[in-house]
Amino acid sequence: MSLIDLLTGNTGNQVAEQAENKFGISRNQVIALLAVAAPLIISYLRNKSQDSNEAEALNNALDKDHDGSILDDVSQADARQAEGGSILNHIFGGDKQNVENQLSQNTGISIDKIDPILSMLAPVIMGYIGREKQQNNVGAGGLGDLLGGILGNASNQSSDSTIQPIERHLRKCFRRGTISIFR
């Protein structure tokens, strides 16, 4: 499954439905947030994985806690929200507040809702990466390439007509110069 499939398919829709029901935000707004936030999270992880200690820590976290089973039961996303907050703190570090502010401005979702929605998404993204890691038999040394491949495949699929609305939204956000997944 590609990142685009994850976001536009059943998994992304289930996460969006949970967030819609829990936070009263339209499903379309949540999907727009997922479309921007997922590649952003993966990009930050890719950058972190360039450091061998960070790559090893990510590899261990994926092996221990993120085998992809959440993709088979997305209802876990809400229950793992606290874990998701910890994941985001580690991924974004000192950039977290700025990232959330920019996502809020670019999606129209109030800032107080961004963190809890991202916290639901983070374990799903980690589960996705964990499953890809297992399927491709990747260790710590190959995580940067795996994550780059995930991002590259998402970009390559953007010519598909079902992806164009997401791509338009991403381009709008990135043209404003407020978020860069290519740090």
Side-chain angles (χ1 to χ4, degrees):
M1 165 178 16
S2 72
L3 180 61
I4 298 298
D5 294 335
L6 178 79
L7 297 174
T8 61
N10 193 39
T11 302
N13 281 311
Q14 285 180 25
V15 171
E17 182 180 352
Q18 287 179 39
E20 179 182 44
N21 292 337
K22 186 169 184 172
F23 304 111
I25 299 167
S26 82
R27 187 178 304 204
N28 288 339
Q29 278 185 298
V30 175
I31 289 173
L33 175 62
L34 300 181
V36 175
L40 187 64
I41 290 168
I42 293 169
S43 178
Y44 267 78
L45 285 170
R46 180 179 181 210
N47 290 336
K48 283 184 166 288
S49 72
Q50 302 309 308
D51 175 277
S52 61
N53 291 332
E54 289 285 347
E56 193 60 44
L58 175 58
N59 190 60
N60 290 339
L62 292 170
D63 286 344
K64 181 180 175 203
D65 298 319
H66 306 287
D67 61 2
S69 61
I70 193 169
L71 302 177
D72 301 322
D73 181 11
V74 183
S75 66
Q76 294 178 39
D78 189 32
R80 293 176 68 179
Q81 191 174 341
E83 174 191 348
S86 295
I87 292 168
L88 294 172
N89 287 334
H90 181 76
I91 292 171
F92 294 132
D95 289 344
K96 186 173 182 249
Q97 189 63 49
N98 183 51
V99 167
E100 290 176 355
N101 285 332
Q102 296 303 320
L103 289 171
S104 175
Q105 289 174 11
N106 288 314
T107 62
I109 298 173
S110 69
I111 188 69
D112 64 314
K113 303 277 197 287
I114 293 288
D115 182 65
I117 294 171
L118 291 180
S119 294
M120 288 174 67
L121 174 65
V124 174
I125 295 298
M126 292 294 286
Y128 171 73
I129 295 167
R131 184 168 284 173
E132 290 293 308
K133 176 188 170 310
Q134 288 175 358
Q135 290 175 348
N136 291 288
N137 198 28
V138 172
L143 284 174
D145 289 339
L146 175 71
L147 296 167
I150 290 170
L151 292 171
N153 288 339
S155 294
N156 291 339
Q157 286 187 332
S158 67
S159 62
D160 183 330
S161 63
T162 62
I163 305 312
Q164 289 184 6
I166 293 173
E167 180 183 347
R168 280 194 299 274
H169 183 76
L170 288 170
R171 286 180 191 262
K172 181 175 116 183
C173 293
F174 297 135
R175 256 198 302 263
R176 291 181 186 165
T178 55
I179 299 175
S180 174
I181 63 171
F182 307 104
R183 296 175 61 137

